[in-house]
Amino acid sequence: MNYTFHYLWRCALLVTLMGVSTPGSGKDKDRLKGIMPVDLELLFSALPEKVEGWELTKSKGWRGHYRWVESIVMRDFEMVVKGEKGAPVSRKVKIVLKDTGKFPESDIQFFSNFTPGKGPSVERLYINSIPAIISERDTKLVAHFLLEERFSLNITFYGVPKTRLADWFRRIDVASLSSIQDGPIVTLPDHIVDQSINQITDTKSSFLL
């Protein structure tokens, strides 16, 4: 991503508040159907919290509405190492996990008709039977996974070798996500409570849309 996750989410929220897609209203309400996402704490529990040699610098979550209600959590890890000339070099790993509620127009659309293959900068493959889309540019690598046809997982490396991807993927509690059963498919509710959590500063906020 070229922008911070928080910025993108807030932009989407701003569009919502401006009336482009008000919860539970509009001509297309009846065709907006999906599964209500799980609580943020449940998503957080699937992410690593302590990784030896790495510092947890961000741990945030949002539950909000744009086209559909989504729960999103992210954690950033950083490590400072010595570069070639002894100068400190920062390496970073960003993990973003999203419950799309199986809404067709969410991130799951990127995996429709998924076929393994490799292009100049993008590779599609299965990792532990899970579809993944991997893109690389300079020292940045983005690995996008789709779990249970519902949970969108992004692992982004900054200055971290691609060979470490399997190690970080193993730190995701895939089994806990697989154990979550789908709720009923429903239309968009009339009212939605948006939530925000910052685990580093131990702050929470919520408001009704």
Side-chain angles (χ1 to χ4, degrees), residues 136-185:
E136 295 182 77
R137 184 175 180 180
D138 299 327
T139 60
K140 179 180 178 181
L141 178 145
V142 179
H144 189 186
F145 302 85
L146 182 62
L147 311 172
E148 300 299 319
E149 299 182 345
R150 173 178 175 177
F151 300 99
S152 170
L153 171 68
N154 277 274
I155 300 177
T156 304
F157 285 173
Y158 299 89
V160 179
K162 183 179 180 179
T163 53
R164 297 297 307 276
L165 181 59
D167 294 336
W168 280 91
F169 183 73
R170 278 194 292 268
R171 293 186 172 101
I172 306 300
D173 191 350
V174 176
S176 70
L177 296 174
S178 299
S179 68
I180 297 173
Q181 302 208 354
D182 292 347
I185 296 178

Side-chain angles (χ1 to χ4, degrees), residues 5-206:
F5 195 76
H6 192 192
Y7 176 79
L8 287 174
W9 186 87
R10 287 302 179 189
C11 285
L13 180 59
L14 179 60
V15 171
T16 300
L17 294 175
M18 290 174 65
V20 174
S21 180
T22 304
S25 65
K27 297 179 181 179
D28 60 355
K29 175 196 172 184
D30 290 338
R31 74 178 182 86
L32 297 180
K33 295 182 178 181
I35 299 168
M36 295 303 291
V38 298
D39 292 337
L40 295 174
E41 294 297 341
L42 188 54
L43 288 187
F44 272 125
S45 67
L47 299 187
E49 185 173 4
K50 296 181 180 180
V51 179
E52 185 177 357
W54 293 81
E55 178 187 1
L56 177 65
T57 58
K58 289 183 182 179
S59 186
K60 297 181 179 182
W62 302 270
R63 188 177 190 272
H65 158 262
Y66 175 43
R67 291 288 288 165
W68 186 253
V69 188
E70 293 180 326
S71 290
I72 308 165
V73 295
M74 63 171 287
R75 281 184 174 152
D76 287 3
F77 296 85
E78 292 189 25
M79 171 190 287
V80 177
V81 299
K82 287 186 178 180
E84 295 181 358
K85 297 183 180 180
V89 177
S90 177
R91 294 179 178 175
K92 181 178 177 181
V93 176
K94 177 185 289 290
I95 304 175
V96 179
L97 178 61
K98 177 191 300 184
D99 184 355
T100 69
K102 288 190 173 180
F103 183 60
E105 297 175 30
S106 65
D107 288 2
I108 65 176
Q109 65 183 315
F110 300 124
F111 292 85
S112 61
N113 302 316
F114 185 86
T115 303
K118 190 172 184 179
S121 59
V122 177
E123 182 178 7
R124 294 171 177 262
L125 71 163
Y126 287 95
I127 298 178
N128 296 338
S129 301
I130 296 173
I133 302 173
I134 299 177
S135 61
E136 295 182 77
R137 184 175 180 180
D138 299 327
T139 60
K140 179 180 178 181
L141 178 145
V142 179
H144 189 186
F145 302 85
L146 182 62
L147 311 172
E148 300 299 319
E149 299 182 345
R150 173 178 175 177
F151 300 99
S152 170
L153 171 68
N154 277 274
I155 300 177
T156 304
F157 285 173
Y158 299 89
V160 179
K162 183 179 180 179
T163 53
R164 297 297 307 276
L165 181 59
D167 294 336
W168 280 91
F169 183 73
R170 278 194 292 268
R171 293 186 172 101
I172 306 300
D173 191 350
V174 176
S176 70
L177 296 174
S178 299
S179 68
I180 297 173
Q181 302 208 354
D182 292 347
I185 296 178
V186 297
T187 56
L188 193 65
D190 290 332
H191 301 287
I192 298 167
V193 176
D194 278 34
Q195 299 174 318
S196 175
I197 296 176
N198 187 329
Q199 293 186 324
I200 301 296
T201 60
D202 193 25
T203 55
K204 298 181 181 180
S205 63
S206 63

